[in-house]
Amino acid sequence: MIRKILTAVCILAATVSSLPARADGVPLLSRQQCIAMALDSSPTVKVADLEVSRTEYARKETQGGLFPTIDFQAAYQRSIELQTIQMDMGGQNTKLKMGSDNTWNLGFSAQLPIIAPTLWKAISINKSQILASLESARASRLDLINEINKSYYALLLAIASRDVIKQNYDRAKLNADIYEKQFLAGTASEYDVLRSSVQVTNIEPELLQADIAVRQCKLGLIVLMGIDYNFDFMPDVTLEEMQQDMYAYPLGADTDLSANSSLRSLDIQAEIARKNVDLKKFAWIPTLGASYSLSWLSLSNGNALKNMDFSPYSNVGLALSVPIFSGGSKYYGLKQAQIQTKEIALQRENLLHSLAMQRDLALDNINREASQISSSAEGMKSAKKAYDIMQKSFEIGAASYLDLRDSELAHTSAQLSYYQSIYNYLVSVSELDLLLGREEELNRN
């Protein structure tokens, strides 16, 4: 355990040392690096991979039935009372003791299936079960990547929101300083000074809450990555920088649902169900097996370890089993398998309709959120321009503090709305990628 911990620490240290860092030494992590760390350490992904290995071993176990089965047997029997038979010999009733005190029987036996349809079909079913395990492992990776994406985007949103509040806080302090200077110059009242000072005090809890939100988002991402919670890092990108190429995917990507993990899993289940129908039908087919045995027999009286004289004997044979009547169990088992196949077909049809509806809604949301980003960006520019004008007017005394506060609130609200729209867009795209089962798009550059 100590070696494993030290190895993990060394790997993390080597990874951190190779990462780019800010001026203060805090390493920068990209979304792809966070995904790589999570996939490497996630217990869920590891369990899914182990399940694939377990299913592969189960297939090999079934395949073992195609090879000969060889056993060795050894048996010893000691007679307490020999068997007595009575014979009429010349009018006299004679009793004879038959058998030996000691009986040793040693030998090998081998069985080989020659015609075993159910075994052949079981091996085919095992192959499909391996595909089902692989798809389950793939689904676990897709879910984890989507969770990492959303956590990473939430951290970007928290950082952007904190920057907006910090900017608002700096502005409030600047205005409070302006009122303080105006009060000393006799051009502002003490009430104005107190009001601006209270405004600074009111923003401080918001700034503290924003710092807590950043910390919480970072811890949530660290938990998904499976690394030490004391590890500090920052994203290597901002929400504004991610907006540059965010429109490329929805406009030109394929939205086919064939790679959806739930749909693929159901298709594999349907294949297994069809093979199970064949398996039930094969139960009516005769089976043929070959056998061979080689044994040594020793019969002796007295001491069991003396006078042993082993005589070999062997035989070879064929065994044919023809099913005739089983009380209808095979027939009803076949009917169950056929019904299960129909159920899965109906489930697939219903799932396909549901997924198509979810895809269309997701595309509508993405297009709507893309429009929201454009309008929010324009609104933010207008709010910034209005605030700059009001700030200059306030500095020369041409605008009241109430007018300035209104422009500040409008600008802050426009900024937060802009960042929120980018976050909503990115999360919607990630959810759509998960719905379409596009791992390369979920983890795209």
Side-chain angles (χ1 to χ4, degrees), residues 409-427:
L409 292 175
H411 185 212
T412 301
S413 178
Q415 286 179 296
L416 294 177
S417 177
Y418 170 69
Y419 292 130
Q420 183 68 46
S421 61
I422 296 177
Y423 168 79
N424 292 339
Y425 179 91
L426 293 172
V427 170

Side-chain angles (χ1 to χ4, degrees), residues 359-425:
R359 176 195 58 193
D360 294 341
L361 290 176
L363 289 172
D364 290 342
N365 289 335
I366 289 174
N367 293 330
R368 183 170 59 252
E369 287 158 1
S371 301
Q372 180 65 33
I373 292 174
S374 300
S375 60
S376 297
E378 293 298 325
M380 185 177 63
K381 292 179 182 178
S382 299
K384 178 65 168 60
K385 185 176 181 180
Y387 170 77
D388 291 339
I389 294 174
M390 192 60 62
Q391 180 68 36
K392 295 297 182 181
S393 300
F394 173 75
E395 291 175 359
I396 63 177
S400 65
Y401 183 74
L402 182 60
D403 295 333
L404 181 61
R405 282 296 301 151
D406 288 340
S407 63
E408 285 179 353
L409 292 175
H411 185 212
T412 301
S413 178
Q415 286 179 296
L416 294 177
S417 177
Y418 170 69
Y419 292 130
Q420 183 68 46
S421 61
I422 296 177
Y423 168 79
N424 292 339
Y425 179 91

